[in-house]
Amino acid sequence: MTKRSIYVAYTGGTIGMRKTDDGFAPVAGFLTDCVKSMPEFYHEEMPTFVINEYSPLIDSSNMAPPDWQRIANDIKANYHNYDGFVILHGTDTMAYTASALSFMLQGLSKPVIVTGSQIPLAQLRSDGQTNLLNSLYIAANYPVAEVCLFFNNKLFRGNRSTKAHADGFDAFASPNFPILLEAGIKINLRAGKITEPTTKPLEVINISPQPVGVITLYPGISTEIFNNILMQPVKALILLTFGVGNAPQDKALLDTLKQADERGIVIVNLTQCFQGKVNMGGYATGNALAKAGVISGSDMTIEAALAKLHYLLSKNLTSNEVKIAMQQDLLGELTE
């Protein structure tokens, strides 16, 4: 039986860093050499794999939409040569990249797993070995045909994931959707589905950087903050509101939002709460936002909402078409 073959794209991040006099830093070739020195990766039950190290390596804090495009194009260029893909990435913006790729890689019939680590692979007690080993094994033997994020023995839907812990091994969570797979003593599928063989072609969507604002509401927030942001050339604004989508019933604020909506700026309401969804019909304060033209982001993570806005705003759509699409479940990113 022919072994499955996995393409590994090392974009940067903690997993491949080496200790230097100035602290941990990415060093070209170090990750590949480190993996080669670990016999576990070459066990007979493991798939074959190749590692492509990006140059230069990117700290995930510096990740931007052009980098998402580069990763998507890299997968497209290698799509017919491999059975699955593993993207090694820094943890800080991993959920943003996983969310973006979920919208950019359409017609996907092979697994794309984004992973990384909290401790460099070469260090004692690194979680990198387990994360990479499992990602390779799952991509070969449990090919869930969507963009996923694997961390600490859990496989998440990419556009449902969010970084939940700054420095713990259990760094990611999926607050509003069950995990796809759990790698315990046995590997168990949860909400994930193994791909069926298909000849469907992969379509890579081109996106471009979009001016999107994000405002977190707090008690006593000034309307001037909204005015200042909305005077910039923004195309969309994400509001992180209270509870089920509530904001102060302040006439000046509501007028500012209504005027922005009339100018074609898409305003999306997300809850600040870690879990749950927006329901603007529940309270008068939320209903007032709806009357001002603000739309519900349902239970999307901020990462998914931002990526989805970049995807939709990169298309030749009217603001009303973007608003309609933002409220639809396109790729499993929200609960309608």
Side-chain angles (χ1 to χ4, degrees), residues 17-271:
M17 289 186 177
R18 186 171 76 185
K19 199 170 188 178
T20 70
D21 291 340
D22 298 319
F24 288 104
V27 177
F30 184 66
L31 175 105
T32 300
D33 291 342
C34 197
V35 170
K36 284 179 179 176
S37 71
M38 295 178 169
E40 297 89 341
F41 287 101
Y42 302 93
H43 188 280
E44 61 179 13
E45 293 180 28
M46 290 294 288
T48 61
F49 60 90
V50 298
I51 300 175
N52 173 30
E53 294 198 9
Y54 283 20
S55 181
L57 294 168
I58 310 161
D59 186 288
S60 71
S61 298
N62 294 326
M63 275 281 173
D67 300 306
W68 300 340
Q69 193 70 55
R70 181 183 176 187
I71 297 167
N73 291 345
D74 189 17
I75 291 170
K76 182 180 182 181
N78 290 281
Y79 194 68
H80 296 295
N81 300 324
Y82 297 92
D83 299 302
F85 300 84
V86 172
I87 313 299
L88 297 179
H89 194 289
T91 59
D92 286 350
T93 60
M94 188 184 289
Y96 287 96
T97 296
S99 294
L101 291 176
S102 76
F103 294 106
M104 298 170 72
L105 300 173
Q106 304 217 353
L108 198 61
S109 60
K110 298 179 182 182
V112 174
I113 302 177
V114 187
T115 192
S117 70
Q118 294 284 58
I119 299 175
L121 186 61
Q123 296 300 300
L124 186 67
R125 298 183 55 252
S126 172
D127 54 329
Q129 186 182 39
T130 300
N131 287 342
L132 177 52
L133 200 72
N134 274 296
S135 294
L136 288 166
Y137 187 83
I138 289 165
N141 297 288
Y142 297 83
V144 177
E146 59 178 283
V147 178
C148 311
L149 188 154
F150 184 87
F151 222 86
N152 198 37
N153 297 318
K154 300 183 191 75
L155 187 72
F156 304 101
R157 174 167 289 167
N159 58 30
R160 289 287 194 155
S161 62
T162 188
K163 191 168 184 187
H165 201 303
D167 55 9
F169 286 146
D170 204 15
F172 288 88
S174 177
N176 292 309
F177 192 79
I179 61 173
L180 300 178
L181 176 151
E182 188 168 20
I185 293 173
K186 292 184 179 179
I187 292 179
N188 296 306
L189 282 166
R190 301 297 187 201
K193 293 180 183 175
I194 301 288
T195 179
E196 296 291 330
T198 177
T199 55
K200 200 171 169 184
L202 174 72
E203 181 186 4
V204 173
I205 307 299
N206 292 321
I207 65 165
S208 53
Q210 300 295 326
V212 178
V214 181
I215 296 181
T216 300
L217 298 191
Y218 55 84
I221 189 169
S222 169
T223 303
E224 284 307 304
I225 291 174
F226 292 86
N227 287 330
N228 290 336
I229 288 180
L230 293 168
M231 278 195 301
Q232 308 302 317
V234 297
K235 291 184 181 179
L237 179 67
I238 295 172
L239 290 182
L240 297 174
T241 57
F242 307 123
V244 291
N246 299 314
Q249 262 190 308
D250 179 271
K251 185 178 185 306
L253 169 59
L254 294 170
D255 286 346
T256 294
L257 296 176
K258 190 170 189 344
Q259 289 160 15
D261 174 64
E262 290 168 350
R263 296 200 307 273
I265 297 173
V266 178
I267 307 173
V268 183
N269 186 352
L270 295 181
T271 175

